[in-house]
Amino acid sequence: MTPSRTSPIASSVLTLRPALPRADEPTWAGAAWVGAVDRPTALAATTVALAGADGFRRARLLVRDGLEIAGSVDVSVTPDGDLDPAELGRALRALPATSLPADTGAALVGRVSVVIGTRDRPEDLRTCLRSVLASTWPDLEVVVADSAPTTSATRDVVASIADPRVTYVLEARPGVARARNAGLAVATGEVVAFTDDDVVVDPDWVTAVAGAFARDADVACVTGLVPSAELRTPTQRWFDERVTWARNTRRRVFRAAEPPVDLPLFPFSVGAFGTGANVSLRHSAAVALGGFDDALGVGTPTKGGEDLDVFVRVLSSGAALAVEPSAVVWHRHRSEPAALRAQAVGYGTGLGAWVTKLVLHPRTALAVVRRAVPALRRLGSLGQDDGGRSAGAPGAVGADAPGTARSGAWVADEELRAATVGLRRIELTAALGGPWRYLVSRRARR
């Protein structure tokens, strides 16, 4: 089930596989087929075909030069399920050139443990787990952390796959942070990579993560790219254009002693560092930090914030945080308009709870107060502030995102317009309730 970047049928024909294969056709006319392509291979092909493209008029392609990410393009799909070579060629050539960093001996990292937090989503887990097990990294350990399950379905999925690299761990208490900590407790790898059950990981994800750790000895945390695995509904498209996870295509290393001039809210730059669906930690650093704060995150009254918290704690410890675009995890966004409001409440509550924790800590309180007003001004819908940079104008695919070729706007339908009215207000209101929920969550933890 892992996305195949290139699958040549003949010397001049290239067939691409979707990031998340599905048998049913999309019902929305604006849906886009989603997958990845190797630029040199595509430019050499006379025909580029898409597998499973029935019903799609557009395609979103993540463009790679080998392991490197060049950006993404949005191109039209012919009735035959092919891409127009001329249009595709123009879009690919418009993206910036890439260059691999020097080899720093990523293989010396050794074993990598992947922790998948899950709760009562066995089929999603099966898809995710298979993609992780298809990784190219030779020394891999996988821990499935089952969070407060109501059935044996998760355990049954692990048993059915029957791979000796996979360990099942039961965490009886709910909460994504608790599940991750349970996985961390049994992980044996030098690096522990965390992801969720609603993703499909790229085969080279672990390899790219290991390379980022190998390049800089002081890096304790690595995040990666999280592009949309599906763009089948207006809701998924709307969400895709407002999150920063898929736009962090620039390789960066952040250190508290070197504040970046383009991020005035640093180190509280929500969205600039990544998201919890694609975060890796050195095992020793994760233990020294005490793992994830189990008063935060999905499954607790705070509903989120555990990933933001660990990013800031890594930087505050004096270690570095690396953003590695070539470490790709494909995420399945929520597809229904009603889910957006629940998501806005979750992001707002988590953000408010996390800020409350910062204010209650003497080392971070003053810094938070100084940045409070500009932070509220930049708070974007669904909480995806990028730390001070423009997230791009709504409507245009990949608007204003470096390394993205735009090919026109799309129009949301009336149902989506109605569902998204007032999302910022909903999120801000939820953020105001975050302090109370954080205190409730802390009290329950005790």
Side-chain angles (χ1 to χ4, degrees):
M1 297 295 288
T2 53
S4 173
R5 290 193 292 273
T6 60
S7 179
I9 298 175
S11 59
S12 60
V13 178
L14 175 68
T15 300
L16 305 179
R17 308 291 174 186
L20 189 63
R22 285 180 54 167
D24 57 319
E25 296 184 19
T27 58
W28 179 47
W33 186 98
V34 176
V37 65
D38 180 70
R39 177 161 53 178
T41 306
L43 289 174
T46 57
T47 302
V48 178
L50 304 180
D54 291 345
F56 291 97
R57 301 176 184 175
R58 307 290 302 175
R60 165 78 61 82
L61 302 178
L62 181 68
V63 182
R64 308 188 77 151
D65 294 329
L67 190 64
E68 289 293 274
I69 300 295
S72 62
V73 296
D74 188 342
V75 292
S76 58
V77 178
T78 70
D80 294 329
D82 298 338
L83 302 180
D84 183 296
E87 180 189 5
L88 179 62
R90 288 192 299 271
L92 294 179
R93 293 184 182 92
L95 295 176
T98 65
S99 59
L100 277 169
D103 182 14
T104 52
L108 299 178
V109 170
R111 172 167 293 182
V112 174
S113 301
V114 176
V115 174
I116 306 171
T118 185
R119 187 186 190 202
D120 294 341
R121 295 199 288 199
E123 292 312 309
D124 285 350
L125 173 64
R126 189 187 304 276
T127 300
C128 173
L129 189 52
R130 285 176 174 167
S131 72
V132 172
L133 292 173
S135 296
T136 57
W137 191 252
D139 193 356
L140 186 71
E141 171 186 69
V142 184
V143 180
V144 175
D146 195 4
S147 175
T150 60
T151 71
S152 65
T154 296
R155 188 190 295 268
D156 295 342
V157 167
V158 174
S160 68
I161 290 179
D163 191 302
R165 295 174 293 174
V166 183
T167 299
Y168 172 89
V169 174
L170 173 65
E171 171 51 64
R173 299 168 298 170
V176 65
R178 290 192 178 104
R180 289 175 178 167
N181 289 340
L184 175 64
V186 302
T188 62
E190 180 181 339
V191 168
V192 184
F194 299 90
T195 192
D196 300 328
D197 58 11
D198 57 351
V199 308
V200 173
V201 309
D202 183 84
D204 293 319
W205 171 52
V206 177
T207 298
V209 166
F213 278 110
R215 276 192 292 276
D216 294 279
D218 64 336
V219 167
C221 177
V222 173
T223 65
L225 200 64
V226 187
S228 303
E230 286 186 336
L231 293 173
R232 298 173 64 92
T233 71
T235 304
Q236 290 178 327
R237 192 65 177 261
W238 188 93
F239 192 91
D240 170 80
E241 294 188 355
R242 281 152 180 81
V243 297
T244 58
W245 313 331
R247 295 202 298 272
N248 291 341
T249 56
R250 176 185 172 192
R251 180 177 285 113
R252 302 188 70 171
V253 178
F254 296 100
R255 297 177 175 88
E258 304 169 1
V261 296
D262 62 324
L263 297 176
L265 302 184
F266 183 85
F268 312 118
S269 306
V270 179
F273 304 140
T275 184
N278 189 356
V279 57
S280 303
L281 296 165
R282 289 193 193 273
H283 193 286
S284 57
V287 172
L289 289 171
F292 292 84
D293 185 347
D294 59 16
L296 297 169
V298 175
T300 72
T302 63
K303 301 181 183 294
E306 84 292 341
D307 49 355
L308 310 179
D309 175 68
V310 83
F311 297 155
V312 172
R313 284 196 287 136
V314 164
L315 292 168
S316 298
S317 74
L321 183 154
V323 175
E324 177 53 52
S326 64
V328 177
V329 168
W330 299 85
H331 183 263
R332 183 194 292 111
H333 299 322
R334 301 188 186 192
S335 60
E336 299 301 325
L340 286 176
R341 292 179 179 267
Q343 193 118 29
V345 170
Y347 281 136
T349 304
L351 183 63
W354 168 62
V355 171
T356 301
K357 178 181 178 178
L358 295 175
V359 170
L360 292 177
H361 198 294
R363 289 183 58 185
T364 53
L366 182 59
V368 170
V369 171
R370 286 174 176 171
R371 294 165 174 80
V373 173
L376 288 174
R377 287 174 179 168
R378 292 190 175 104
L379 181 63
S381 187
L382 290 181
Q384 299 306 310
D385 168 61
D386 57 5
R389 299 165 302 186
S390 170
V397 177
D400 301 331
T404 303
R406 300 192 302 177
S407 59
W410 65 282
V411 179
D413 60 16
E414 290 305 317
E415 182 183 9
L416 180 60
R417 292 183 190 278
T420 55
V421 169
L423 280 186
R424 169 177 275 193
R425 185 187 70 255
I426 291 171
E427 187 175 19
L428 287 173
T429 301
L432 294 176
W436 175 77
R437 288 182 173 272
Y438 176 67
L439 296 176
V440 168
S441 189
R442 283 214 314 186
R443 189 177 301 115
R445 180 179 60 180
R446 292 173 185 160

